[in-house]
RNA sequence: GCCGCGGUGGCGGAAUUGGUAGACGCGCUGGUCUUAGGAACCAGUAUCGUAAGGUGUGAAGGUUCGAGUCCUUUCCGCGGCACCA
């Protein structure tokens, strides 16, 4: 038995009445909604797997010599029905009691008791040795008409499908393992493997064998896919079962026995339960000294009599408040909606504001929320949408996962490893702008990357460099900066390229290359003796997202009263981002041999002539004859020589 | 086991999407300045080679005039799921 982390108290299982949200009703909706979202593929995949849709068929297996209702099983592989040689029902299955024979009763009861003792973890441990017990009863395979032993085993879960399976040991690894252990028959019905050695589970183009019976049907020779279709058709026609869909997604346990959490607005009365009247909402937590758990495992709220008891005007107790509280998710599932209208006292949000702001254009968050938060809030939003309370079906249009900053040893930061970097210390020493800049510069936003204080120092150096360009030693605007300067061609080119690239990179969340461009530009400006004031104005604006504090400082030094935050992004001249001379690479047989500088958009003849005039190139081309010339304007010239 | 992501210098990472691999930064080497240390600045820095030149994006093949980028096989690392019938 486990012990609690704090205090080392024993942990045990106990049945409790809880609140559950029926998220399973929205499984299909949540799955379909994923399609149009601009989310990372892996997150969509995680949600898809979490929902775990599977399509198959539910089939009734009648019990031999019994008038009891048949056992219903769920399978996705109805093509292997002829290979089903035994059945297994979960220990919790309601039919266990009625099926078990007198002779086996004791053994089965003992087995069920044992499984009850196991934790969920032990029961689902994959490498666990499978256990089970024969019930003494038999079922009839509806297609092969053969008798099948019915077993109870805890490798079948009551919570999935129908809680009962047809076992096909030839083509299912779990069933194969179980059949081997208990010496149950293994039958090959899909060709391609050796079922005496292992279950053969490939589907691909595999062909069905040993699957016909004169009184039912034959699927021999069909592919798995076709056999599935044909068997389902037959099963439905003969009313042996129906097509069915299953999801792994479970209903959502939504109550906690804690103080901190929204109370459920429910009052229990002698006649049942009712919701708190709208004018009495919200139900607030009582202010108390002690919110430690109670001794009996109930919510701490249950011990606060004055809060629990709801009285009418004459002081009679008319009901008792629900004392469970909601989990943290209750807030995180809809906070973004409240953000659209945070001061609204009458409603959670107004339709107008919701319509204006929603959906969230870009949601940046960690990958750890891939399934829980991001699935739960989608669920709430779907429900709200169905209730007509929000205007979009999906809450978050684009999702982006930022990577984690690791310790300088490349491992996740943790106190026990001693590799934690405290931002406050960094900010004290280098300033918030240097830290921000470094975090942007480290690498792609979505990648995890190790912290490196040396790298941060590089950014700190850059910040100082920029300061030195703009500010003189007395803290005034540098005398290098003047109104009447005409920038040279190179400076102008760099300037416009920088505005363009930084803007584009921000748009694409490529902050690291945006910073790099700023560095390139500043390295150049540093060498200039005179700099036009106009250029500095723009530079300060494009630096602002990366160094907001310093940029404001520069902005005010430039004589502005208002915040830089109100400025527009500067324009750039596309013409000036281009150069009129380009370097064209000359290759011979794909190997780099020389560079030539040409006027922009030169034609092929000009390029070829310029290239062949070079001795370096000529040396190679003269070794044979030029059979082909590839020219990519402004880029490359390649001679194919044979 | 299944699904997803990723392997580029000593390190973090660039590469206009098939067209000069290594931008920018760190580190390192040499230099200027300095009594010295630090800072700052200048030059160099994938690798083998004195050079000419050769080789290089985890590995092996393939497509192409040309591959970090596309295709096939394979190895390694990270994340998620895991008896879901």
């Amino acid at each position: 038995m486990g012990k609690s982390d704090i205090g080392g108290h024993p942990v045990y299982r106990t049945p409790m009445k809880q609140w559950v949200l029926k998220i399973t009703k929205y499984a299909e909706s949540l799955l379909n909604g994923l399609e149009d979202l601009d989310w990372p593929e892996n997150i969509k995949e995680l949600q898809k797997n979490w929902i775990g849709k599977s399509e198959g068929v539910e089939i009734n297996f009648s019990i031999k010599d019994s008038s009891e209702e048949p056992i219903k099983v769920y399978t996705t592989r109805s093509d292997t029905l002829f290979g089903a040689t035994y059945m297994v029902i979960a220990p919790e299955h309601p039919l266990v009691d009625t099926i078990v024979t007198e002779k086996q009763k004791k053994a089965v009861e003992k087995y069920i008791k044992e499984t009850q003792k196991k934790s969920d973890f032990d029961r689902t441990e994959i490498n666990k040795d499978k256990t089970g017990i024969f019930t003494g009863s038999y079922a009839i395979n509806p297609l092969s008409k053969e008798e099948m032993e019915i077993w109870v085993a805890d490798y079948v879960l009551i919570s999935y499908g129908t809680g009962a399976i047809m076992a096909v040991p030839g083509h299912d690894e779990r069933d194969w393992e179980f059949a081997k252990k208990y010496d149950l028959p293994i039958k090959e019905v899909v060709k391609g493997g050796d079922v005496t050695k292992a279950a053969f589970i490939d589907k691909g183009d595999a062909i069905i064998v040993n699957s016909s019976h004169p009184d039912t049907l034959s699927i021999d020779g069909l592919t798995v896919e076709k056999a599935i279709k044909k068997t389902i058709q037959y099963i439905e026609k003969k009313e042996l079962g129906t097509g069915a869909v299953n999801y792994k997604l479970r209903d959502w346990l939504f109550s906690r026995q804690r103080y901190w959490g929204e109370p459920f607005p429910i009052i229990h009365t002698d006649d049942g339960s009712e919701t708190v009247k709208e004018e009495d909402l919200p139900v607030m937590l009582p202010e108390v000294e002690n919110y430690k758990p109670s001794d009996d495992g109930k919510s701490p709220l249950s011990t606060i009599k004055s809060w629990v008891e709801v009285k009418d005007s004459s002081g009679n107790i008319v009901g008792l408040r629900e004392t469970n509280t909601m989990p943290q998710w209750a807030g995180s599932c809809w906070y973004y909606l409240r953000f659209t209208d945070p001061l609204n006292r009458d409603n959670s949000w107004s339709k107008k504001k919701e319509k204006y702001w929603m959906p969230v254009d870009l949601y940046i968050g960690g990958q750890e929320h891939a399934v829980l938060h991001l699935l739960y809030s989608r669920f709430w939003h779907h429900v709200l949408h169905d209730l007509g309370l929000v205007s979009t079906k999906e809450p978050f249009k684009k999702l982006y996962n930022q990577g984690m900053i690791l310790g300088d040893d490349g491992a996740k930061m943790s106190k026990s490893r001693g590799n934690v970097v405290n931002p406050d210390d960094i900010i004290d020493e280098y300033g918030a702008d240097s830290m921000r800049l470094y975090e942007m510069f480290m690498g792609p936003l979505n990648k995890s990357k190790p912290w490196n204080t040396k790298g941060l120092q590089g950014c700190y150096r850059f910040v100082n460099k920029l300061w030195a360009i703009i500010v003189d030693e007395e803290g005034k605007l540098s005398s290098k900066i003047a109104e009447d300067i005409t920038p040279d061609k190179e400076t102008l080119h760099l300037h416009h390229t920088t505005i363009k690239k930084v803007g584009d990179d921000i748009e694409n969340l490529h902050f690291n290359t945006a910073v790099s461009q700023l560095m390139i530009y500043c390295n150049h400006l540093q060498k200039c003796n005179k700099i036009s004031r106009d250029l500095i104005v723009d530079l300060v604006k494009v630096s602002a997202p990366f160094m907001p504090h310093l940029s404001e400082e520069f902005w005010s030094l430039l004589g502005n009263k208002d915040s830089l935050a109100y400025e527009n992004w500067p324009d750039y001249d596309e013409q000036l981002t281009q150069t009129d001379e380009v370097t064209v690479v000359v290759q011979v047989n794909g190997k780099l041999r020389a560079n030539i500088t040409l006027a922009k958009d030169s034609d092929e003849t000009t390029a070829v002539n310029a290239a062949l005039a070079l001795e370096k190139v000529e040396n190679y081309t003269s070794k044979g004859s030029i059979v082909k010339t590839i020219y990519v304007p402004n880029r490359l010239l390649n001679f194919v020589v044979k």
Side-chain angles (χ1 to χ4, degrees):
Chain A
M1 189 178 280
K3 295 270 170 71
S4 69
D5 262 6
I6 298 169
H9 305 289
V11 176
Y12 52 92
R13 290 154 70 94
T14 180
M16 286 198 289
K17 206 172 172 185
Q18 302 259 37
W19 293 91
V20 171
L21 297 191
K22 207 157 182 56
I23 192 171
T24 48
K25 260 213 146 158
Y26 276 77
E28 193 64 34
S29 168
L30 290 166
L31 189 64
N32 291 335
L34 286 172
E35 271 175 40
D36 305 318
L37 292 178
D38 184 7
W39 284 22
E41 219 36 60
N42 63 320
I43 301 286
K44 287 197 196 180
E45 204 59 35
L46 281 173
Q47 293 214 345
K48 232 182 251 176
N49 293 342
W50 191 263
I51 294 167
K53 181 178 184 175
S54 101
E55 287 172 272
V57 56
E58 281 182 2
I59 308 168
N60 294 317
F61 282 69
S62 51
I63 300 163
K64 190 191 166 200
D65 303 329
S66 162
S67 55
E68 290 294 335
E69 57 180 297
I71 300 177
K72 189 180 271 187
V73 305
Y74 173 74
T75 180
T76 56
R77 292 294 304 274
S78 52
D79 59 307
T80 61
L81 240 168
F82 281 95
T85 54
Y86 66 101
M87 297 191 71
V88 184
I89 60 179
E92 299 86 349
H93 198 284
L95 282 178
V96 170
D97 287 343
T98 53
I99 284 173
V100 68
T101 58
E102 234 9 82
K103 201 178 143 207
Q104 288 295 94
K105 201 161 190 164
K106 271 224 164 97
V108 169
E109 274 170 6
K110 188 172 162 241
Y111 177 77
I112 290 174
K113 268 214 176 110
E114 274 164 22
T115 60
Q116 276 169 349
K117 272 193 242 161
K118 294 186 200 168
S119 70
D120 274 359
F121 181 81
D122 289 337
R123 275 192 63 175
T124 55
E125 177 63 46
I126 177 117
N127 295 322
K128 183 197 74 171
D129 193 27
K130 289 182 182 27
T131 57
I133 186 115
F134 180 42
T135 60
S137 290
Y138 295 83
I140 305 295
N141 186 314
L143 296 197
S144 69
K145 300 293 182 191
E146 282 162 9
E147 282 183 8
M148 308 158 74
E149 291 186 6
I150 304 173
W151 284 60
V152 175
D154 67 358
Y155 81 91
V156 170
L157 311 172
I158 189 67
S159 52
Y160 185 80
T162 60
I165 61 155
M166 62 173 206
V168 185
H171 306 284
D172 181 284
E173 283 171 337
R174 297 152 300 182
D175 299 342
W176 190 87
E177 205 183 303
F178 194 79
K180 273 280 164 193
K181 180 170 172 185
Y182 292 106
D183 206 22
L184 292 155
I186 299 172
K187 189 173 157 193
E188 180 181 58
V189 289
V190 184
K191 224 166 112 183
D194 179 356
V195 297
T196 61
K197 297 221 170 69
F200 177 72
I201 53 174
D202 287 5
K203 286 180 261 182
D205 305 321
I207 299 297
I208 304 293
V209 293
N210 302 325
S211 295
S212 56
H213 188 279
D215 298 339
T216 59
L217 84 168
S218 170
I219 49 170
D220 283 336
L222 296 179
T223 60
V224 167
E225 201 187 330
K226 282 187 180 147
I228 289 175
K229 279 193 189 135
K230 192 165 175 186
T231 45
I232 292 179
Q233 243 172 38
Y234 178 85
I235 287 161
E236 290 192 330
K237 200 175 102 197
K238 297 279 173 182
E239 292 179 351
L240 296 165
T242 51
V245 171
N246 265 299
Y247 302 91
K248 287 192 213 171
L249 189 69
R250 295 293 137 79
D251 280 327
W252 178 13
L253 178 65
F254 197 67
S255 48
R256 302 287 184 271
Q257 294 71 50
R258 279 197 298 214
Y259 175 83
W260 292 113
E262 299 83 341
F264 286 83
I266 300 281
I267 296 170
H268 303 288
T269 65
D270 291 341
D271 310 327
S273 302
E274 56 191 52
T275 52
V276 171
K277 289 195 208 79
E278 198 166 334
E279 59 263 32
D280 294 333
L281 290 174
V283 178
M284 308 284 277
L285 287 169
E287 291 201 24
V288 287
E289 295 283 317
N290 175 24
Y291 45 80
K292 295 256 156 40
S294 63
D295 293 334
D296 57 3
K298 279 193 191 154
S299 160
L301 293 176
S302 65
T303 63
I304 306 163
K305 235 177 119 181
S306 59
W307 184 82
V308 174
E309 293 175 349
V310 182
K311 295 174 181 165
D312 62 18
S313 49
S314 41
N316 302 313
I317 297 172
V318 293
L320 300 173
R321 284 191 196 283
E322 168 66 38
T323 59
N324 281 297
T325 52
M326 300 187 200
Q328 307 302 320
W329 311 109
S332 67
C333 277
W334 70 286
Y335 76 94
Y336 55 91
L337 286 167
R338 181 62 181 175
F339 278 17
T340 64
D341 197 3
L343 302 175
N344 194 329
R345 296 195 65 90
D346 303 321
N347 291 295
S348 301
W349 59 84
S350 75
K351 278 205 161 170
K352 204 176 139 198
K353 295 211 172 167
E354 184 278 330
K355 203 164 179 186
Y356 175 78
W357 287 106
M358 289 300 290
V360 174
D361 297 293
L362 173 62
Y363 196 169
I364 300 185
Q367 215 183 342
E368 65 273 20
H369 296 125
V371 278
L372 299 178
H373 166 56
L374 286 169
L375 190 67
Y376 291 159
S377 37
R378 287 184 61 223
F379 163 50
W380 276 45
H381 207 85
H382 282 216
V383 173
L384 292 170
H385 185 250
D386 287 350
L387 293 170
L389 296 170
V390 294
S391 54
T392 65
K393 177 131 201 187
E394 289 288 337
F396 315 125
K397 206 158 66 179
K398 183 180 168 101
L399 176 72
Y400 203 84
N401 295 128
Q402 89 276 30
M404 219 185 323
I405 306 299
L406 308 169
D408 59 6
D409 54 356
K412 204 165 160 176
M413 286 192 196
S414 76
K415 276 187 192 155
S416 57
R417 276 181 172 274
N419 60 355
V420 174
V421 178
N422 181 355
D424 290 339
D425 299 342
I426 301 295
I427 290 168
D428 280 347
E429 197 171 347
Y430 299 97
D433 282 356
S434 295
M435 164 126 177
R436 182 187 177 95
L437 187 73
Y438 175 55
E439 292 212 302
M440 298 293 98
F441 183 60
M442 285 173 89
L445 183 62
N446 60 352
K447 295 261 171 66
S448 291
K449 50 241 151 186
W451 177 268
N452 181 351
T453 301
K454 283 273 164 61
L456 166 82
Q457 282 164 358
C459 289
Y460 178 64
R461 238 170 262 166
F462 168 67
V463 164
N464 284 317
K465 205 183 274 186
L466 182 62
W467 179 270
I469 291 169
I470 301 179
V471 185
D472 69 13
E473 307 213 324
E474 274 108 58
K476 296 199 180 106
L477 198 65
S478 167
S479 55
K480 278 183 172 181
I481 300 168
E483 301 271 5
D484 52 353
I485 309 291
T486 313
D488 60 61
K489 221 162 141 193
E490 193 190 350
T491 308
L492 220 50
H493 168 67
L494 255 175
H495 183 79
H496 288 266
T497 307
T498 301
I499 295 173
K500 179 182 181 178
K501 178 146 179 68
V502 173
D504 289 353
D505 281 352
I506 290 175
E507 204 65 38
N508 295 316
L509 308 175
H510 295 162
F511 303 128
N512 55 330
T513 48
V515 173
S516 148
Q517 183 61 36
L518 289 173
M519 287 172 167
I520 292 169
Y521 187 30
C522 286
N523 286 344
H524 173 79
L525 287 180
Q526 197 183 20
K527 293 175 195 143
C528 299
N529 291 322
K530 286 280 174 192
I531 306 170
S532 159
R533 192 176 181 284
D534 293 346
L535 299 190
I536 295 297
V537 167
D538 285 353
L539 174 62
V540 168
K541 287 180 187 171
V542 297
S543 302
F546 305 95
M547 297 166 266
H549 307 89
L550 276 164
S551 301
E552 287 288 356
E553 189 66 28
F554 295 143
W555 191 240
S556 117
L557 278 172
L558 286 163
N560 298 289
K561 291 264 184 314
D562 285 338
S563 166
L564 174 53
Y566 301 114
E567 292 300 309
N568 285 327
W569 193 256
D571 292 322
Y572 63 88
D573 183 342
E574 180 66 42
Q575 277 296 312
L576 289 169
T577 63
Q578 321 250 332
T579 46
D580 40 14
E581 281 192 332
V582 291
T583 304
V584 170
V585 171
V586 182
Q587 297 183 339
V588 179
N589 291 336
K591 292 213 169 186
L592 176 68
R593 295 304 176 191
N595 291 324
I596 49 177
T597 304
L598 296 175
K600 191 163 174 285
D601 299 327
S602 296
D603 63 12
E604 183 168 338
T605 320
T606 315
V608 169
N609 289 340
L612 290 178
L614 296 174
E615 198 184 334
K616 261 188 178 174
V617 177
E618 215 272 326
N619 283 345
Y620 288 96
T621 51
S622 60
K623 281 180 186 157
S625 58
I626 299 172
V627 295
K628 197 173 173 186
T629 305
I630 293 118
Y631 180 57
V632 183
N634 304 325
R635 235 166 239 301
L636 162 142
L637 178 64
N638 186 15
F639 296 111
V640 184
V641 174
K642 269 194 182 152

